[in-house]
Amino acid sequence: MLALTRKKNESIIIGDRIEVIVLSVQGEQVKLGISAPREISVHRKEIYEQIRLENLAAAQNESEKLRDVYTLLRGAARPQAANEK
């Protein structure tokens, strides 16, 4: 991890396209401004973790649905035996 010291109105650059600016410091709270291209998502960590967990749950749900559909289609495609007619 890289640790940097910045004062109010100072910034850091990440790559060529992201700038993080210290907007204010009040006690233990630091207000940051982040300038990044629209295609780059910027979230607080706790929000990012919530989104990640919801996406994981949705993907598992979809996987279960696909497995159910596969099972149904596999059963429907099975030819009937002569004695079942």
Side-chain angles (χ1 to χ4, degrees):
M1 173 189 292
L2 174 64
L4 301 170
T5 302
R6 300 278 72 202
K7 295 178 183 174
K8 183 178 175 183
N9 296 323
E10 292 183 338
S11 64
I12 62 169
I13 303 295
I14 301 172
D16 293 330
R17 303 166 64 199
I18 302 169
E19 181 177 16
V20 180
I21 306 164
V22 178
L23 299 176
S24 67
V25 179
Q26 296 177 348
E28 292 185 14
Q29 195 170 42
V30 178
K31 187 182 235 183
L32 302 173
I34 302 168
S35 177
R38 285 191 179 276
E39 64 269 12
I40 295 178
S41 298
V42 178
H43 300 285
R44 295 186 331 241
K45 185 175 181 178
E46 61 273 16
I47 299 299
Y48 173 81
E49 286 299 323
Q50 184 179 356
I51 291 168
R52 187 183 67 78
L53 290 174
E54 288 175 5
N55 286 343
L56 182 61
Q60 288 174 344
N61 214 4
E62 287 302 312
S63 177
E64 291 171 7
K65 288 179 185 176
L66 286 173
R67 187 175 40 245
D68 292 345
V69 168
Y70 173 77
T71 302
L72 287 171
L73 291 175
R74 203 170 131 209
R78 204 176 295 148
Q80 291 183 340
N83 61 356
E84 291 180 3
K85 291 183 181 180

